[in-house]
Amino acid sequence: MTDVDFDGDWNGWRLRGRNLVSEDGQRMTVERLRGLMWRDKMELLKVVVIELAEIRHRGTVAS
């Protein structure tokens, strides 16, 4: 795989092999990035579920 240097909002970041490398040299594997995205998705789901539970608890119906 060819090394890739990003620009624009990703300026300073680069792709080296299978790793995304930050401006300060921290390497992020594909698995780590997937894990962060999964956790972000679960946090959003948790917020929605909690908000719906609070609405139901106050006696109003959520749809």
Side-chain angles (χ1 to χ4, degrees):
M1 176 175 200
T2 305
D3 293 340
V4 177
D5 295 326
F6 296 105
D7 56 12
D9 290 342
W10 287 88
N11 191 31
W13 287 76
R14 52 204 183 275
L15 192 58
R16 295 295 183 260
R18 291 180 37 109
N19 293 315
L20 182 61
V21 183
S22 69
E23 298 172 285
D24 60 359
Q26 294 182 13
R27 293 179 173 268
M28 184 173 298
T29 64
V30 172
E31 295 79 14
R32 175 73 176 139
L33 187 55
R34 283 185 184 136
L36 289 170
M37 293 171 66
W38 177 85
R39 181 181 171 130
D40 188 53
K41 181 180 175 182
M42 292 298 110
E43 287 293 321
L44 177 61
L45 179 62
K46 184 170 99 175
V47 168
V48 170
V49 169
I50 289 171
E51 287 180 4
L52 287 175
E54 288 176 359
I55 291 170
R56 288 186 180 128
H57 178 69
R58 286 181 288 196
T60 57
V61 177
S63 58

